[in-house]
Amino acid sequence: MLQRALRLIYPSECLVCRALTESDFGLCGSCWRDTPFVMGVVCQTCGAPLPGDEPDPLAICDDCMVVARPWSKGRTALRYRDNGRKLVLGLKHGDRTDLAKHVAGWMAKAAAPLITENTVLVPVPLHWTRLVTRRYNQSGLLAQAVGPLIDRPVLPDALVRLRRTKSLGGQSREDRFATLDAAIEPHPKRGKHMAGKTVLLIDDVMTSGATLAASGEAARRAGAEDVNILTLARAGKDD
């Protein structure tokens, strides 16, 4: 009765376009078609979609073949284009903090092959000045939403960003990695909780992988037994 009354006041809306939907926190038919979920063959290192029909445990994308990654495996829920891009930007810059709990199910499903009893979730950190401006860390929101779905603990401040770096947008791959060099470290007190754990780094989007690489290196310096990554979206060469 209460739910029926609430739906009369607050009808279910599409996450992307706000059109009315039959169920809460879903996508309308049009937006579902335009949401690029990653399925099928994926790069085992970053989760990027690859050609093919049958899952391949040895599949690696071109980027991960030429760039050394300080993590073992990775997965992503969406491609960073069309509605995948809209959802990331809405969460990151559009104050759509509500999106985190709704997209977390997609991320948890993608992460399933990576989860062990030793896994802990660690969000990629923001510098405190950006946190003050934005008021939230979108990666932290995603980690807090995914954690309960996979029944694994979240270490929200195990990593710290020591300096505010300039925007990575428009930078070359080399410049992105140079910008993030020594910018992220284990938290001086709480970083120790990563020691001996399989750290699953959480971020909203992976482009070059520079931010995740800096975070992964920091987690390993803190004594992490292994590092994997999980993102909401993965940018590709055509996105």
Side-chain angles (χ1 to χ4, degrees), residues 124-175:
V124 167
L126 279 182
H127 190 262
W128 70 267
T129 56
R130 279 209 171 92
L131 190 57
V132 168
T133 302
R134 192 175 297 168
R135 305 188 311 282
Y136 60 90
N137 177 2
Q138 70 278 2
S139 300
L141 294 180
L142 291 171
Q144 294 287 7
V146 172
L149 298 181
I150 60 176
D151 194 28
R152 302 311 308 146
V154 179
L155 307 180
D157 49 7
L159 295 174
V160 61
R161 196 176 291 233
L162 298 180
R163 68 176 190 273
R164 178 166 180 162
T165 54
K166 60 184 178 181
S167 173
L168 300 181
Q171 293 191 42
S172 68
R173 174 184 292 167
E174 293 74 16
D175 288 343

Side-chain angles (χ1 to χ4, degrees), residues 77 103-115 145-150 200 230:
V103 302
W106 305 338
M107 295 179 67
K109 184 176 180 179
L114 310 180
I115 307 305
V146 172
L149 298 181
I150 60 176
L200 181 61
L230 174 65

Side-chain angles (χ1 to χ4, degrees), residues 46-78:
C46 72
L50 295 173
D53 299 320
E54 296 297 326
D56 182 353
L58 301 178
I60 303 293
C61 71
D62 292 344
D63 283 350
C64 291
M65 284 184 178
V66 299
V67 179
R69 308 293 195 191
W71 65 80
S72 299
K73 296 180 180 180
R75 290 293 187 275
T76 192
L78 306 170

